[in-house]
Amino acid sequence: MLVVASANGRVGIREAMRVLREGGSALDAVETGCRLVESNPDDHSVGYSGIPNLLGVVELDASIMDGKTLAAGAVGAVKNFEHPISIARKVMEELPHVFLVGEGAERFAREAGFEEKDLLTPEAEEIRRRLLEGKGLGIYAERLKYLERIREFANLATDPERALGTVNFIARDREGNLAVGVSTSGWACKYPGRLGDSPVIGAGNYADNRYGAAACTGRGEMAIRKCTAYSAVMYMRMGASVEEAGRRAMEDLKDLVDPYAGAMSLICVDAQGNHAAFSNREGSRYVFMTDEMDEPEERPRILVT
Ligand code: GLY
């Protein structure tokens, strides 16, 4: 049994492993892990206390995929619900749909019994204020001239230290089933309604028991354009090792002309439970835990520049 996560998944990885040890499924484990990150007030890139959009509203995206059945669920631009990963799972399990966004996703969450909560914290609002003031964008934002200033703003907002983040979990349970969960509040100060790769199946997340699973963090616009998570799994299907598959999926991003030179990171697990992680930024790390380990271990990601 195995759980692999982006480094900010450290707060949830022990519980995710506990779920697997107690006989839970890979889906249960990734949902549990993501929920703990979504509730972490110190993580401003996921869930409660996520940095809001340009207008000061927290909008959350999440997706989940079952590698056994290839079932998937996703929600995007969800306001006032702390656990989009659980709403995504309900979409997968209870609706004949894969993807709900905005008011429809919120309506479904209410019908499914999820509690509403104000997600904006003073810390996250302060970060938004500083980001906007940092480029003198505040006045433009108020006048909704965002599009005119998007290039300058996006350079700021793609600084991974300040503006990006997402959590990835991949689990492999005792039956060898794979699942992947991804949750995010998206780009800091994003344009309202913007969706990144996290809720897009194949871009930010993919799992297929036969070959492997993959999930992304970073500049979602790039992962959407190259179907990065699906590519990594497809390379494994074509016979590549987990290291080779992830590296090739990352190298594919080089085809993109991207004026914002965005940070991108990827975690991958193959069907046997071998894992590897990648980033185009130095210093990026990931975390993993097997059922034989007492504590999770953090490792550097393979650098693919
Ligand atoms: N990877 C998260 C996002 O772009 O929203």
Side-chain angles (χ1 to χ4, degrees):
M1 292 182 283
L2 170 74
V3 183
V4 180
S6 50
N8 58 342
R10 179 172 268 279
V11 299
I13 198 166
R14 287 183 193 78
E15 271 300 295
M17 180 48 72
R18 187 187 61 73
V19 166
L20 292 183
R21 284 180 173 138
E22 291 178 358
S25 67
L27 281 171
D28 297 333
V30 299
E31 182 184 2
T32 298
C34 285
R35 284 178 66 95
L36 285 162
V37 183
E38 288 171 343
S39 295
N40 179 8
D42 298 325
D43 191 322
H44 298 300
S45 68
V46 180
Y48 175 70
S49 199
I51 302 173
N53 69 15
L54 184 67
L55 301 179
V57 178
V58 182
E59 288 183 339
L60 304 181
D61 310 329
S63 66
I64 192 163
M65 184 161 185
D66 181 356
K68 181 178 178 185
T69 61
L70 306 188
V75 291
V78 174
K79 298 186 276 292
N80 298 319
F81 289 94
E82 185 173 4
H83 294 300
I85 192 69
S86 297
I87 307 171
R89 185 168 179 182
K90 278 262 187 250
V91 170
M92 177 177 79
E93 291 179 342
E94 296 190 2
L95 291 182
H97 305 310
V98 168
F99 203 170
L100 294 183
V101 299
E103 285 176 14
E106 292 152 16
R107 178 191 183 99
F108 173 69
R110 272 189 293 278
E111 286 173 3
F114 289 94
E115 276 182 26
E116 295 189 53
K117 176 170 174 170
D118 183 0
L119 303 178
L120 184 61
T121 62
E123 296 76 23
E125 174 56 14
E126 173 64 13
I127 296 170
R128 167 184 168 270
R129 194 185 61 74
R130 277 192 275 118
L131 276 171
L132 295 182
E133 281 184 358
K135 288 284 181 182
L137 190 70
I139 182 171
Y140 294 96
E142 294 311 321
R143 294 175 189 172
L144 281 179
K145 289 191 174 173
Y146 180 86
L147 288 174
E148 291 172 20
R149 301 296 300 270
I150 180 71
R151 183 175 299 265
E152 180 186 13
F153 167 74
N155 280 327
L156 175 77
T158 50
D159 177 342
E161 294 302 315
R162 288 188 289 177
L164 280 175
T166 293
V167 70
N168 296 159
F169 271 90
I170 298 175
R172 186 173 184 272
D173 63 26
R174 67 177 68 231
E175 290 169 7
N177 294 315
L178 293 168
V180 54
V182 179
S183 185
T184 191
S185 51
W187 268 30
C189 311
K190 62 193 171 187
Y191 198 87
R194 175 266 184 190
L195 299 177
D197 60 327
S198 302
V200 179
I201 304 300
N205 138 352
Y206 203 77
D208 185 327
N209 275 3
R210 296 169 295 177
Y211 315 117
C216 301
T217 54
R219 182 162 149 64
E221 282 73 3
M222 291 170 68
I224 291 172
R225 291 163 72 195
K226 290 303 274 189
C227 302
T228 301
Y230 184 68
S231 294
V233 174
M234 279 302 285
Y235 284 128
M236 288 189 259
R237 178 179 180 176
M238 290 161 65
S241 68
V242 69
E243 287 87 2
E244 193 186 338
R247 188 183 289 278
R248 289 179 71 181
M250 289 290 292
E251 285 172 353
D252 286 346
L253 297 165
K254 292 178 190 167
D255 297 340
L256 301 177
V257 175
D258 181 56
Y260 312 123
M264 274 298 305
S265 298
L266 175 68
I267 59 172
C268 299
V269 175
D270 70 15
Q272 290 72 42
N274 302 301
H275 55 90
F278 310 84
S279 182
N280 62 4
R281 289 285 191 276
E282 280 188 56
S284 181
R285 301 174 76 79
Y286 77 111
V287 64
F288 70 96
M289 187 170 184
T290 69
D291 52 312
E292 287 149 6
M293 294 163 63
D294 293 329
E295 289 295 322
E297 183 180 323
E298 206 171 292
R299 279 198 188 156
R301 295 175 187 252
I302 297 166
L303 183 63
V304 185
T305 53

